[in-house]
Amino acid sequence: MADSESIDTTSVQDQQDDPLADLPDEALRQLVEDAMLGNRILANETTMFEKFLKRVEPNMMVAPSAAPTPSVSVQDTRMMRKRSKSKAGGVDRHLKLTAEQKCDIAQREIEELREEIEKTKEDSEKVLDTYRAIMEEADMRLSEIKKASYEFDRDIVKGSVNPRSDKVVAEKVVRYFDDKLRQRDTLIEKLRLKNSTLKVQKKKLQLQLKQKEEMGEVLHEVDFQQLKIENSQYLEKIDERNQDLLRLKLMAGNTLQVLNTYKKKLHTLTMESDRLKTEISSRNELLSRIDTETEQVEVERATAEKLNRKLRQQLDDYKVPEVVEYVREKADLYELNKTVRSWERKVEIAEMALHTHRKTWNQLKLASQQHNPWGLEPVKMA
């Protein structure tokens, strides 16, 4: 009974101390809304301050251990409420932040939020670039697949069908896939070399960046502008490379057509090779006949060598005369030559005399014919 009386007396006293007891419902509702708005503002400020405090001094943000709350009576609660009301003003005066501090914290949080937004934008751009690259690669793969399908349909399904059996020639199919595998191996080797080159460039750039960081160089806005210019230049180069890639693809198509032409020529040359093989066999027969003739010639050559050796033996057996005899023979030869020249001179003189006498005889004979035109023989005197 004593406890109930004490509770009634305290409730009456609280109603007398509480200024909100006489207010109407509309005023109370407005006060509640204002209090909720103030609570939301304070919650935002508290959240912002906690973020700032976590970033500046993370060690201070330690979660307090949950202590067991002892059971409190209604009277003790009301007494604590009165004490909190009485101390609220002093606590607010000592713990509230000033407007400058709040502005400073808010400014720092805004900058941090901007940095997070920029970082998020960069991450999003990277993700978008990745998706764009994937889409471009998918488009390229789709175009390559369409091209390969078209070439397969043109070269194998329609171009390599045997008109007699209406079946695909297996050799052409195997050759087609061998060419494709060879082209793929060549592309893989090119990409591997390009990848190794890019890795070397990456290592060089990392080393340069590390050296700049060690030297304490800081990038300024001018450097970023230069990087943007270089990025635009590289983008232009990439576009040029894409154009070159398209041109090379067209060249690859033309090369494939030329390859088909050369395949036809290869078929023609294969037939020519068969003809040449037949001709080679005939030439081999001719060569065998020539070998037989060569053997006969070898026999004749052996005979000629034997005769040559015999003549050489005779030449070796020949003895050279003595010097005196040689001089004597030369002198005799000189005298004989001299005699021959003398006789030749005499023969010439005799021939000249004979020519003169013949001429004189012819003149006399002509003169005698003129004196005896009738061809009468002269009368011989007894």
Side-chain angles (χ1 to χ4, degrees), residues 79-107:
M79 293 296 292
M80 289 172 66
R81 189 179 298 170
K82 288 182 181 180
R83 291 175 184 174
S84 63
K85 287 180 181 179
S86 62
K87 294 180 180 179
V91 172
D92 292 340
R93 284 194 300 270
H94 291 291
L95 296 180
K96 280 186 177 181
L97 298 174
T98 61
E100 294 179 358
Q101 292 175 346
K102 290 181 180 180
C103 289
D104 188 14
I105 293 171
Q107 188 67 30

Side-chain angles (χ1 to χ4, degrees), residues 269-282:
L269 292 175
T270 305
M271 297 176 65
E272 183 69 18
S273 176
D274 295 335
R275 185 185 64 79
L276 291 175
K277 285 180 181 179
T278 306
E279 186 176 356
I280 287 170
S281 62
S282 62

Side-chain angles (χ1 to χ4, degrees), residues 177-193:
F177 283 109
D178 288 339
D179 294 338
K180 289 296 181 182
L181 291 175
R182 197 176 301 111
Q183 292 176 3
R184 186 57 56 86
D185 292 337
T186 305
L187 180 60
I188 290 171
E189 184 66 22
K190 289 181 180 179
L191 293 176
R192 187 183 65 79
L193 293 175

Side-chain angles (χ1 to χ4, degrees), residues 112-260:
E112 187 70 21
L113 185 60
R114 285 177 181 172
E115 291 179 357
E116 290 181 359
I117 291 171
E118 291 295 329
K119 186 177 180 180
T120 306
K121 284 183 179 180
E122 292 178 357
D123 296 337
S124 301
E125 288 294 332
K126 290 180 180 179
V127 173
L128 288 175
D129 291 337
T130 304
Y131 287 145
R132 288 194 191 100
I134 292 171
M135 290 177 65
E136 289 179 0
E137 184 180 2
D139 292 336
M140 292 175 64
R141 289 290 299 167
L142 181 61
S143 62
E144 290 177 357
I145 290 170
K146 288 182 179 179
K147 183 179 178 182
S149 177
Y150 171 74
E151 293 176 353
F152 184 81
D153 184 69
R154 181 190 62 191
D155 298 334
I156 303 301
V157 178
K158 296 180 180 178
S160 63
V161 178
N162 192 351
R164 295 181 179 178
S165 61
D166 291 336
K167 293 182 180 180
V168 178
V169 180
E171 294 179 356
K172 292 185 178 181
V173 177
V174 172
R175 194 181 304 119
Y176 176 81
F177 283 109
D178 288 339
D179 294 338
K180 289 296 181 182
L181 291 175
R182 197 176 301 111
Q183 292 176 3
R184 186 57 56 86
D185 292 337
T186 305
L187 180 60
I188 290 171
E189 184 66 22
K190 289 181 180 179
L191 293 176
R192 187 183 65 79
L193 293 175
K194 185 177 181 181
N195 190 14
S196 62
T197 306
L198 291 175
K199 284 183 179 179
V200 173
Q201 292 180 358
K202 181 181 177 182
K203 288 182 180 178
K204 289 181 180 179
L205 292 175
Q206 287 178 352
L207 183 60
Q208 292 177 1
L209 183 60
K210 187 176 180 181
Q211 291 177 356
K212 287 184 179 181
E213 289 178 354
E214 290 177 355
M215 294 173 65
E217 295 182 359
V218 182
L219 296 175
H220 300 286
E221 187 176 359
V222 179
D223 298 328
F224 287 109
Q225 294 296 331
Q226 186 177 359
L227 289 174
K228 287 182 179 179
I229 294 171
E230 292 179 355
N231 189 16
S232 62
Q233 292 176 355
Y234 286 131
L235 289 175
E236 291 178 357
K237 290 182 179 180
I238 289 171
D239 293 334
E240 293 178 357
R241 294 293 183 273
N242 289 328
Q243 295 295 328
D244 294 337
L245 181 61
L246 293 174
R247 182 172 56 81
L248 290 174
K249 285 183 178 179
L250 293 175
M251 290 176 63
N254 296 328
T255 306
L256 186 60
Q257 294 179 357
V258 174
L259 179 62
N260 293 327

